[in-house]
Amino acid sequence: MTDYHQGHGSPMGGDGGNIGAQRKEIYTYKAPWTVFAMAWSHRPDPNAQFRLAIGSYVEQYSNRVQIVKKRPASDPSDPYNGQMYKACEFEHSYPCTKILWSTDTSNVGSKDLLATSGDYLRIWNLTDDGSGQGTLIPNKEVLLNNSKNSEYCAPLTSFDWNETDPNIIGTSSIDTTCTIWDVSTKTVISQLIAHDREVFDIAFAKGRDLFATVGADGSVRMFDLRRLQQSTIMYESPKGDPLLRLEWNKQDQNYLATFMVDSRKTIIVDIRVPGIPVAELGGHVGCVNATAWAPHSSCHICTAGDDSQALIWDLSSMSKRPIDDPILAYNADGEINNLQWNARETDWVSIAFNDKLQKTRNMITLNLDRMSYSKQEAMLQNGLDNIHAVAGG
């Protein structure tokens, strides 16, 4: 079921920009389970305005993945006009720790691939079922096992799909290793011991060769595919607290974002100045669970957490002064488990909380070309924009 709500704010002063007059939209999709993993598709779909993949979090072997689409708002007589719907669903062993669509958008006729991590790295090929309704048929393309001992599988904590070379996927595992795969040949390019303890996340920089990892030893480490025998420690948490997630700024690859376990702060690292955070973003009153850099701006990032808030930060002045307050905030109806920013249509952000997938447009991504707001303007805008959509039964 889907709820759609749009609202209109009022003009705001300052530079004369009619900020509130932009169209605000919220779509809420209710899943039959807690939503955790989530990813926007990079590929245009003739039957949908956009689509996402979502994964369940159920503490048992059998879990699920759904492909959710939004119908184009083109036919007012259609009762499902503009709504979100389930285009596909399939079973997944254990909860997905991450979901990503293929980064290959250059070849329209290429396979529509989706990757998931959990006990193994699985790659799925999605094909249209021919019904004309936009629904899909999932086919498991390949299962990749990072363990040399076929009797034991070290669970995967995360992975990343290289944007420059879509044949490359890197995975991270609890067995302290990272594995770099060639998807086209289904073979291992390299497997390396990346950390002293479990590796929790891996992320490629913009370009083919650089990637970074974080883990239970509390360090951020940077690697180069051309010289995998060495790495550089970019940051270590003061007390050795585990670092859970990692996001690389694709607009300015000098910057990384990470956060510690049970922490309310997001740490921004400048790889040109290892060891010392260039910024620490507070603002949350609960633990941070997810971060996402703006795909179209080098100095904006969104953070989300257990306090049910998604906060937008402007980092353009972080080299001159501490960043104390976010510029915009959005309040969800539950603790936010995940957050994704649409790289193809950059005014859309999705969040996952409880059994809900919620997509917002021009709600917390408002006018990022304006490099700063006063705190009073941000609070006023948040008040105008804080419209909650309640999913139907």
Side-chain angles (χ1 to χ4, degrees):
M1 296 292 293
T2 317
D3 265 334
Y4 164 69
H5 201 144
Q6 73 176 67
H8 298 278
S10 58
M12 295 177 61
D15 63 356
N18 192 349
I19 309 304
Q22 295 190 38
R23 190 184 184 194
K24 319 300 185 302
E25 300 175 53
I26 304 177
Y27 295 90
T28 303
Y29 176 82
K30 181 179 172 62
W33 21 255
T34 299
V35 179
F36 177 67
M38 174 175 61
W40 290 93
S41 172
H42 303 283
R43 176 183 297 213
D45 188 320
N47 298 307
Q49 181 180 355
F50 51 68
R51 58 183 185 160
L52 295 97
I54 58 174
S56 67
Y57 183 82
V58 181
E59 293 184 3
Q60 60 188 38
Y61 178 80
S62 179
N63 275 258
R64 310 293 290 179
V65 172
Q66 287 187 357
I67 309 301
V68 179
K69 294 185 178 183
K70 178 186 173 294
R71 298 181 189 275
S74 55
D75 184 3
S77 63
D78 182 356
Y80 300 104
N81 183 50
Q83 290 193 8
M84 290 192 293
Y85 68 98
K86 179 180 68 177
C88 177
E89 181 173 355
F90 54 91
E91 187 173 356
H92 193 276
S93 302
Y94 301 105
C96 296
T97 54
K98 193 168 185 178
I99 295 179
L100 284 177
W101 296 85
S102 171
T103 56
D104 185 6
T105 58
S106 58
N107 187 355
V108 177
S110 62
K111 293 180 178 179
D112 192 11
L113 299 179
L114 178 77
T116 61
S117 58
D119 50 350
Y120 301 102
L121 177 67
R122 294 175 173 85
I123 299 178
W124 312 80
N125 181 23
L126 301 172
T127 57
D128 191 280
D129 65 1
S131 67
Q133 301 299 313
T135 44
L136 303 169
I137 298 174
N139 299 287
K140 186 162 63 179
E141 192 83 357
V142 65
L143 183 148
L144 300 175
N145 182 2
N146 68 314
S147 177
K148 296 179 181 178
N149 180 359
S150 60
E151 296 180 0
Y152 172 72
C153 165
L156 302 179
T157 54
S158 187
F159 72 99
D160 198 20
W161 209 319
N162 193 296
E163 293 184 4
T164 302
D165 186 349
N167 289 322
I168 296 177
I169 288 181
T171 63
S172 57
S173 174
I174 65 168
D175 67 359
T176 76
T177 68
C178 289
T179 305
I180 308 300
W181 290 93
D182 185 325
V183 177
S184 61
T185 62
K186 305 178 181 61
T187 58
V188 173
I189 297 174
S190 181
Q191 187 174 67
L192 60 145
I193 297 176
H195 288 257
D196 299 329
R197 296 172 60 192
E198 300 96 322
V199 189
F200 288 144
D201 205 2
I202 181 172
F204 284 101
K206 185 176 183 180
R208 179 184 183 276
D209 297 312
L210 292 181
F211 67 94
T213 61
V214 293
D217 60 6
S219 67
V220 178
R221 304 192 181 201
M222 188 169 69
F223 298 84
D224 190 320
L225 288 177
R226 298 162 294 188
R227 296 179 293 275
L228 285 174
Q229 67 274 15
Q230 59 188 24
S231 66
T232 304
I233 296 178
M234 306 309 303
Y235 173 77
E236 292 181 289
S237 57
K239 298 180 180 179
D241 292 329
L243 297 173
L244 294 184
R245 290 299 180 204
L246 175 71
E247 291 284 336
W248 209 311
N249 187 335
K250 296 300 177 68
Q251 294 298 317
D252 186 345
Q253 64 177 18
N254 291 315
Y255 297 105
L256 298 164
T258 186
F259 54 88
M260 290 176 278
V261 63
D262 296 331
S263 174
R264 300 178 180 182
K265 292 184 177 181
T266 301
I267 299 162
I268 309 298
V269 177
D270 185 340
I271 65 173
R272 298 167 297 185
V273 189
I276 303 174
V278 67
E280 294 187 11
L281 310 178
H284 287 281
V285 294
C287 300
V288 176
N289 292 327
T291 61
W293 290 96
H296 58 310
S297 169
S298 63
C299 59
H300 289 89
I301 190 171
C302 187
T303 62
D306 280 353
D307 58 359
S308 307
Q309 289 195 102
L311 306 177
I312 290 282
W313 304 83
D314 181 355
L315 307 183
S316 57
S317 61
M318 65 181 173
S319 62
K320 302 175 183 178
R321 59 177 177 80
I323 307 298
D324 296 323
D325 298 301
I327 57 171
L328 290 172
Y330 175 69
N331 294 319
D333 291 332
E335 297 177 355
I336 300 176
N337 299 321
N338 208 339
L339 160 76
Q340 296 290 324
W341 206 318
N342 191 334
R344 193 168 64 87
E345 297 185 42
T346 56
D347 52 352
W348 287 97
V349 170
S350 61
I351 57 174
F353 60 93
N354 301 328
D355 58 352
K356 308 291 195 309
L357 165 67
Q358 195 166 82
K359 309 178 189 73
T360 67
R361 181 183 185 184
N362 289 332
M363 186 62 61
I364 57 176
T365 60
L366 193 61
N367 268 23
L368 292 187
D369 57 316
R370 292 184 61 187
M371 297 307 290
S372 64
Y373 277 101
S374 69
K375 184 177 180 180
Q376 291 78 11
E377 283 182 312
M379 292 178 66
L380 173 59
Q381 189 64 57
N382 181 47
L384 294 171
D385 290 350
N386 191 13
I387 305 169
H388 294 286
V390 180

